[in-house]
Amino acid sequence: MTRRALVVRAVGGPVLVQDLGRPGHAAVGVGRSGAADRAAYLLANRAVGNRRGAAALEVTLGGLEVEVRGGPLWCCLTGAPAGVEADGRLHPPGAVVAVRHRLRIGTPPRGLRSYLAVRGGIDARAVLGSRSRDVLAGLGPAALDAGDVVGIGDDADAGEAGWPRLDAVPVDALAEPALFRVVPGPRADLIVEPDRLVTGEWRVSAHADRVGTRLEGGAPLLHRDPERQLPSEGAVRGALQVPPSGEPVLFGPDHPVTGGYPVVGVVVDADVDRAAQLRPGDPVGFRWV
Amino acid sequence: MRLLPYGDRAVLVELADPDGTDGTDQAVASARVVAWVEAAATAWRDVPVELVPAATTVLVALAPGAPQDLAWLRAAAADVRPEQPARRAEAPRTVEVPVTYDGADLAAVARLTGLDEADVVAAHTGTPWRVAFGGFAPGFAYLVGGDPRLRSVPRRAEPRTRVPAGSVALAGGFSGVYPRVSPGGWQLLGRTELAMWDLDRDPPALLAAGTTVRFVDAGGVR
């Protein structure tokens, strides 16, 4: 029997293996990482009957084309709402489909990252208990490229109950502008006018990746004392760090474990997934909670 | 100790004034951080929280599986008693790091400290260091302690875009070894062959918080 696998035929933007990440290693300089849009990732896995934490593909801006070997293979795509073409037939995002030969993912009209879950999960070497690619730390499987062969794992729930029971799952509409609830940060007092964060009309700059998303367009969040050096302190995903330029950086899943610039605010956890779907040029708003 | 807000899933525990204006030096602040983390890890053995130790602070974040309750977290953080002896009474580990002191900034460090190069090497090797925390890259450890004459050395005005793996460096009261090629702004004293980070080793990081580090002059070109 042919070992079940995906053969990558084409990629658009970066395609990364992701799971729930590797918690607990911050003290040795390794962050959590993991799927940028956790809710979308978990939904795709559930839709195909995978166990929680099974590895999936995080597909940036669509364009992925894979051949299925040893199929048919149950798949579901969530997150940025790209269309899916399975064996020549078009399906809407969120459809649970069995692919025999070939799967193509279109370009999402909105959003940045789609999650392709395959029943059984992606098989890759785990590093410190996770198969996530951490682009800052350089850990986990490298980004996929045309010609790569990716094995399918056995992270599916057993028995009839573990099989997909849905034709489709709802995919987030990604309303604009993205509005984030923010708790004032530990060093908001080092910024001249922290309220500029919530009054400013920000948009996503070209500097946006899994490490962080730099925002521009609003009045700069100036440091009260530009000469002052804050010793590094721990950071979380969703922290808004302010470098001396005054343009805030919203930390993503692969953010540095510690950082030395003041954190003016922290996006509440429930809103952090939405940040994973921001594209350069997208408008962004904040409000204090 | 102060508890600072950090979103709806974390608090920042400040254990010394970040500017040192309360008179706490870096080594003392780090010792507090290490003791606090040990006490918290003991107290919360069965609660999934993530602890991120740094220079003067510990970030405490709720992990999935913990009660997602910030009020609980704040109360629990306020309750940590670092003066209680940690139950894990392991003897502190000492790691010797052999260094070839031929770094590009050795002369600059000598100038900045008013020592000659041989004195800088003697100062760097003469007093033990201790791992305070990690964070810059996997396996990078911030070392505190060392000879007080080296503590005034600042970061380079222009960071290097490429610091070779194994570079032994100094800045801002800390010393450290770059685990792999990366950008970096610290002053380079020399290099070691010792692997700071090795995924085929368990644990991969050679240096953990609390580990004592002794740099040893391995000779070589100077």
Side-chain angles (χ1 to χ4, degrees):
Chain A
M1 184 185 142
T2 316
R3 184 170 174 256
R4 294 189 309 151
L6 300 178
V7 184
V8 179
R9 289 303 175 200
V11 294
V15 178
L16 305 175
V17 178
Q18 292 295 340
D19 56 21
L20 287 172
R22 45 183 74 81
H25 302 284
V28 293
V30 175
R32 174 185 286 267
S33 188
D37 185 339
R38 298 161 303 186
Y41 153 83
L42 288 168
L43 180 64
N45 259 339
R46 266 205 311 277
V48 297
N50 277 347
R51 284 198 282 267
R52 194 182 157 83
L57 295 181
E58 183 177 280
V59 182
T60 315
L61 285 173
L64 174 69
E65 195 176 327
V66 293
E67 207 172 279
V68 172
R69 197 177 276 174
L73 201 59
W74 287 93
C75 299
C76 181
L77 188 92
T78 59
V84 167
E85 187 189 317
D87 301 321
R89 212 177 136 200
L90 284 169
H91 300 269
V96 180
V97 293
V99 184
R100 290 179 187 284
H101 305 293
R102 196 171 272 245
L103 179 79
R104 278 200 189 97
I105 296 171
T107 305
R110 317 172 281 290
L112 190 62
R113 297 182 172 100
S114 308
Y115 292 84
L116 179 68
V118 297
R119 184 169 162 80
I122 300 294
D123 191 17
R125 186 188 170 212
V127 174
L128 299 174
S130 166
R131 297 180 166 112
S132 280
R133 175 64 178 176
D134 181 333
V135 301
L136 183 70
L139 299 177
L144 300 189
D145 213 342
D148 286 349
V149 179
V150 185
I152 305 301
D154 51 8
D155 281 337
D157 281 324
E160 198 182 333
W163 278 90
R165 295 176 143 201
L166 296 162
D167 296 328
V169 293
V171 171
D172 195 340
L174 301 175
E176 280 192 358
L179 192 61
F180 295 100
R181 290 168 291 172
V182 183
V183 178
R187 305 296 175 190
D189 58 340
L190 300 186
I191 302 298
V192 178
E193 276 184 70
D195 281 348
R196 284 184 179 181
L197 181 71
V198 294
T199 55
E201 291 182 6
W202 301 96
R203 64 177 179 274
V204 178
S205 78
H207 301 281
D209 59 19
R210 285 178 49 90
V211 176
T213 299
R214 174 163 292 194
L215 305 173
E216 58 188 17
L221 294 157
L222 299 174
H223 289 199
R224 205 173 277 284
D225 178 1
E227 295 298 305
R228 180 171 171 176
Q229 301 247 331
L230 190 66
S232 286
E233 41 196 40
V236 299
R237 186 191 303 207
L240 283 150
Q241 218 192 44
V242 183
S245 72
E247 292 183 329
V249 177
L250 176 55
F251 274 179
D254 295 352
H255 68 84
V257 173
T258 60
Y261 295 131
V263 170
V264 67
V266 183
V267 172
V268 303
D269 195 62
D271 290 1
V272 165
D273 286 332
R274 179 66 181 84
Q277 299 298 353
L278 294 173
R279 280 191 194 190
D282 280 355
V284 179
F286 297 97
R287 67 178 177 86
W288 298 124
V289 287
Chain B
M1 184 189 89
R2 280 208 303 164
L3 290 180
L4 302 173
Y6 211 115
D8 64 341
R9 292 288 188 279
V11 292
L12 189 67
V13 180
E14 191 179 73
L15 295 163
D17 188 279
D19 293 327
T21 42
D22 59 354
T24 310
D25 83 0
Q26 185 56 66
V28 171
S30 295
R32 273 186 211 163
V33 168
V34 170
W36 200 93
V37 167
E38 278 175 5
T42 306
W44 295 335
R45 192 172 299 167
D46 302 319
V47 185
V49 293
E50 182 118 33
L51 299 169
V52 190
T56 59
T57 58
V58 182
L59 181 69
V60 186
L62 294 165
Q68 298 296 301
D69 180 343
L70 198 60
W72 173 84
L73 186 69
R74 290 185 64 90
D79 249 9
V80 171
R81 294 282 174 269
E83 59 274 14
Q84 292 168 356
R87 268 178 250 167
R88 300 174 298 141
E90 295 161 22
R93 209 163 61 97
T94 299
V95 173
E96 285 200 351
V97 179
V99 182
T100 302
Y101 282 94
D102 60 355
D105 299 319
L106 192 59
V109 171
R111 217 169 33 245
L112 287 161
T113 53
L115 303 169
D116 64 28
E117 293 184 18
D119 288 338
V120 170
V121 173
H124 196 244
T125 55
T127 311
W129 298 78
R130 191 161 188 241
V131 178
F133 60 99
F136 170 72
F140 188 89
Y142 289 79
L143 306 176
V144 295
D147 193 304
R149 291 173 296 172
L150 298 176
R151 285 181 200 160
S152 60
V153 178
R155 294 165 62 90
R156 285 169 51 85
E158 277 288 306
R160 287 187 171 83
T161 53
R162 189 181 184 282
V163 173
S167 292
V168 177
L170 192 75
F174 296 106
S175 190
V177 183
Y178 286 85
R180 57 173 188 183
V181 177
S182 64
W186 289 17
Q187 314 269 2
L188 307 186
L189 298 183
R191 59 197 152 89
T192 182
E193 303 282 313
L194 220 52
M196 295 294 118
W197 180 256
D198 180 356
L199 279 172
D200 295 325
R201 190 168 59 197
D202 186 22
L206 182 67
L207 307 178
T211 304
T212 299
V213 176
R214 280 186 177 278
F215 292 104
V216 179
D217 187 356
V221 192
R222 187 134 75 228

